[in-house]
Amino acid sequence: MSTARRSAPRTTTPSPEAGVAATAPRVTKRGLERRDRILEVAAEMFLAHGYDGVSIDDIVKVVGGSKTNVYSHFGGKEGLFAAVVEEMCGDFLDGLQGMEATDPDPAAGLRAIGRALVAVLLEARHVAFQRLVIAESGRFPAMARAWFEAGPQRARAVIARCIAFHQQAGRLRPADPARMATRFHDMIVTNGLYQALLGTPPAAQEREAAIDEAVATLLHGHAA
Amino acid sequence: MSTARRSAPRTTTPSPEAGVAATAPRVTKRGLERRDRILEVAAEMFLAHGYDGVSIDDIVKVVGGSKTNVYSHFGGKEGLFAAVVEEMCGDFLDGLQGMEATDPDPAAGLRAIGRALVAVLLEARHVAFQRLVIAESGRFPAMARAWFEAGPQRARAVIARCIAFHQQAGRLRPADPARMATRFHDMIVTNGLYQALLGTPPAAQEREAAIDEAVATLLHGHAA
DNA sequence: AATATACCATACCGGATGGTATTAAAAGAG
DNA sequence: CTCTTTTAATACCATCCGGTATGGTATATT
């Protein structure tokens, strides 16, 4: 089912008398360190080789320690994978969150957000993450949903705030900022991400040009 | 490796004296039918369960016949997969190819192309195909490249032709039609495809709205 | 110090996988 | 009809996988 995310990871001892909460698992510093190290290694290996491309034994071989420990922390391979993705989801866009639109020129603000966003999304690590999430979106639908909210949707929210700011200042025509943000986000991100997924990420110059075009299109269109 | 795509599929008999082309494989009607049937079944199963989710035995169990035959036709699992994807690449956009822009209103032409394109790309079969290609783009880079050319690039070319037509009529400002087509294509396709990959494809009304917005943005922008 | 728990190392299990070998039946070519 | 090649059926191989069992060690709480 893959939905038992936080419920009962410690499956080794089924708790003698089920009824008295059965001794909460002991949390120690070493234990958390071990857990984090497993997550860390598993993340790198899943990113590099995909879900089916990595076995638990592969991970244990690198982490050290024993297989039992992986199972007691995460319940199994699916639990480990879910934990890995959950932790990575938020990491990429953290730097974007604080961006405020203060420049009176809408083009400048949109360009700044666009540059920051594209720079992060085209990092090799994020490209691998994107591939992983899409690849397993069928097997782990909840995970895919969570990624979408923590990734594209959050980026779009930042853009939407910028758009709303300029609308209130009368520099953009009134319209749903969230929907406008979606169009802008997609113009900026999609092609570069495709290229990167294919192994040929766009050069810096091409990235800039694409952002400039998207800004110009969003603001002025191409009608004669 | 995985580059010996068309070279030597018939690997069973290594040909006694390597020098006289060693009896070209006999091509019969039944043989081709068998081959096509394998491709057909393999395509459906790969789409449904992914590359690692389907074993050769699974495929043989459905197709009938024997494993040996799969290996003599395709050389192995990777060869079979490559053949499957290669054949599917072109199928989706065939209906789009002939679209000609004759309407004097640019918005009408772009909307028509957009509707046709989105309708195809959001079909469950294409969504599964997209997921499959992205998932295996790391393991099969050449396949991913071929998909990109036969898919997004071809769709963009159709859009670009429409744009160029209206530019020459003076209804759109001069600019690189291919690059404009990329922005428009990405605005139209990306979000809907994401939603579909997550299992919640957009309703018809939402699809229409997104296309209309993209057309309006491309033509007029949102500046006050 | 004693006890409970987390961790380590390793062996093991049932099952599945890609791929090969062998032998027999079917079908095309002359 | 005969000979050659393709297809079928099946058994087989080596390997790997997720997961469990076991038995012993480190660590933290009491």
Side-chain angles (χ1 to χ4, degrees), chain A residues 9-25:
Chain A
R10 310 283 173 160
T11 51
T12 35
T13 20
S15 79
E17 271 128 2
V20 207
T23 65

Side-chain angles (χ1 to χ4, degrees), chain A residues 20-35:
Chain A
V20 207
T23 65
R26 182 188 282 167
V27 177
T28 79
K29 189 181 164 197
R30 196 172 102 104
L32 290 179
E33 279 173 4
R34 228 67 199 83
R35 198 189 122 100

Side-chain angles (χ1 to χ4, degrees), chain A residues 137 173 179 213 218 221-222, chain B residues 173 179 213 218 221-222:
Chain A
S137 60
R173 292 199 302 276
R179 301 186 67 88
E213 279 172 38
L218 187 79
H222 292 82
Chain B
R173 292 200 301 276
R179 300 186 67 90
E213 279 172 36
L218 187 79
H222 292 83

Side-chain angles (χ1 to χ4, degrees), chain B residues 13-171:
Chain B
T13 19
S15 77
E17 271 128 1
V20 208
T23 64
R26 182 191 283 168
V27 178
T28 78
K29 189 182 164 196
R30 197 173 102 104
L32 289 180
E33 278 172 6
R34 227 72 197 83
R35 198 190 121 101
D36 283 356
R37 177 90 183 114
I38 294 171
L39 272 176
E40 200 177 319
V41 169
E44 294 316 309
M45 300 186 71
F46 280 138
L47 284 179
H49 306 110
Y51 182 78
D52 287 308
V54 178
S55 72
I56 307 251
D57 284 313
D58 289 338
I59 294 170
V60 169
K61 218 173 293 168
V62 175
V63 174
S66 78
K67 227 158 119 172
T68 318
N69 206 17
V70 174
Y71 277 86
S72 65
H73 274 303
F74 302 101
K77 194 184 184 184
E78 297 202 348
L80 174 58
F81 183 73
V84 162
V85 172
E86 189 177 338
E87 227 203 38
M88 293 184 71
C89 262
D91 289 358
F92 295 105
L93 298 183
D94 280 347
L96 219 78
Q97 205 67 316
M99 293 196 75
E100 275 297 339
T102 59
D103 198 306
D105 180 14
L110 290 170
R111 249 197 304 268
I113 294 178
R115 279 206 203 98
L117 178 59
V118 168
V120 172
L121 297 192
L122 293 190
E123 278 172 22
R125 197 182 154 81
H126 177 268
V127 173
F129 179 69
Q130 177 106 357
R131 180 164 22 223
L132 188 63
V133 167
I134 294 181
E136 304 303 331
S137 60
R139 195 179 342 202
F140 300 90
M143 169 213 71
R145 221 77 64 93
W147 158 78
F148 190 65
E149 291 303 322
Q153 291 293 68
R154 238 174 73 192
R156 288 166 177 173
V158 173
I159 298 170
R161 257 186 31 219
C162 174
I163 289 176
F165 168 74
H166 289 292
Q167 280 177 335
Q168 277 159 16
R171 290 184 287 264

Side-chain angles (χ1 to χ4, degrees), chain A residues 1 9 49 70 77 83 112 119 128 131 133 145 158 168 194 196-197 223:
Chain A
M1 295 302 183
H49 306 111
V70 174
K77 195 184 182 183
R131 177 159 33 217
V133 168
R145 222 77 64 93
V158 173
Q168 278 160 15
Y194 270 146
L197 281 169

